[in-house]
Amino acid sequence: AVVSTQSGHYGRGETARGIVHGYLDAICGEENGEDCPAVLSNWRAGNGIFFDNTFNGVDTCISMIRAEKETKAETKASVYEEGMDMESYIDGWVDAHMKLEEKVICDADCAGEMQELMYSSCCVKRAGERLSTESMKGKYVKFFKNIWRFIYPGEAPELKNAVNRFMQMFRPASFCGAKTDVYREMNKQCNAIKA
C-alpha cells in the first residue's frame, strides 16, 4: 500500500514521482521574464557544441580536449572491478568526475566562455538550484537505494556524501569558489532582476 505523502512518508513510486516533479519544477515556467523551456532547449544545444568540438578535435575552451588528463582519470575511475568495495568505487568515481567538472567550468582561462555557453540565463541558475536542494538530494539517495538491488547484489552503499559532492556542480558559483567570479556575477544579475 502507498502511504500518503502528506504525513511525510513515501510509498512505492513516491520517490521517483518526487524527482520527476522536482525536475519539472526546475525546468518549466518563467524566470525573470525568460521562457525556461526555450532557454533550456538552447542550453542543451550548447552542450552539443561542446561535445561536437571535443569529438572533432577542436582544442578550445568549449571542448573537453583541454581536460584530457582529468577525462582519462574519470574514465579510469569509472571502471568497476570484481571485488571492489562499492562505496569506495562510487566515491572514487565522484571525486574524479568532480575534478573533471572543476577543470572544465572553473578554470580561470575558460570560465568566461563556459559561463556564456552553460550559465548565461537565470533559468539555468534556477534549475541548478532547484535540482540540488537538500530535499532533492534526499530523493536521489532514496531512489538509488530503492533500485540498487536490481543493479547490484547486496545492500546499497552509503550514497549521501557522493550525491552531496556530485550536486555541488549544479551551483557553480560556490563550486568554483575563488577560482573565478563569473558565476557569482551571473547570480548577482539574476538576483537583482528578481528583487
Side-chain angles (χ1 to χ4, degrees):
V2 175
V3 179
S4 169
T5 58
Q6 292 175 351
S7 65
H9 302 297
Y10 289 98
R12 283 182 248 140
E14 289 299 317
T15 302
R17 189 175 300 123
I19 291 171
V20 170
H21 283 268
Y23 177 75
L24 292 173
D25 179 55
I27 67 165
C28 293
E30 289 188 0
E31 183 71 13
N32 294 343
E34 296 177 323
D35 176 14
C36 290
V39 165
L40 293 167
S41 177
N42 290 333
W43 178 82
R44 286 185 188 92
N47 283 320
I49 293 167
F50 187 82
F51 288 106
D52 282 348
N53 285 345
T54 301
F55 297 129
N56 289 323
V58 179
D59 190 1
T60 178
C61 284
I62 309 303
S63 171
M64 296 287 281
I65 291 173
R66 65 188 172 88
E68 183 177 357
K69 180 179 86 170
E70 292 82 3
T71 302
K72 286 179 180 178
E74 193 233 10
T75 302
K76 183 177 178 184
S78 70
V79 175
Y80 176 78
E81 295 179 14
E82 191 69 35
M84 290 177 81
D85 174 69
M86 189 56 74
E87 190 170 340
S88 296
Y89 163 71
I90 291 170
D91 285 340
W93 176 80
V94 168
D95 288 343
H97 184 76
M98 298 312 287
K99 287 176 184 168
L100 171 62
E101 291 290 339
E102 183 178 341
K103 174 67 176 177
V104 170
I105 68 173
C106 302
D107 183 60
D109 293 335
C110 291
E113 287 184 60
M114 288 301 297
Q115 181 269 320
E116 267 305 306
L117 180 70
M118 308 298 275
Y119 198 75
S120 61
S121 163
C122 299
C123 288
V124 174
K125 173 187 179 290
R126 181 185 84 169
E129 289 173 350
R130 290 185 178 181
L131 291 171
S132 62
T133 64
E134 291 303 315
S135 172
M136 287 297 287
K137 289 189 284 188
K139 290 173 184 153
Y140 304 141
V141 169
K142 184 168 180 144
F143 178 75
F144 286 123
K145 284 189 176 198
N146 286 344
I147 66 166
W148 191 264
R149 65 183 173 190
F150 300 111
I151 302 169
Y152 296 102
E155 288 293 315
E158 176 52 52
L159 299 169
K160 185 177 180 181
N161 291 333
V163 168
N164 283 338
R165 287 194 324 275
F166 186 83
M167 297 310 293
Q168 288 174 351
M169 70 181 161
F170 283 70
R171 296 173 183 251
S174 59
F175 176 62
C176 293
K179 293 176 184 73
T180 181
D181 65 350
V182 296
Y183 303 106
R184 277 190 301 282
E185 290 303 317
M186 185 64 201
N187 286 354
K188 285 179 190 175
Q189 290 174 23
C190 292
N191 294 339
I193 294 168
K194 190 178 259 188

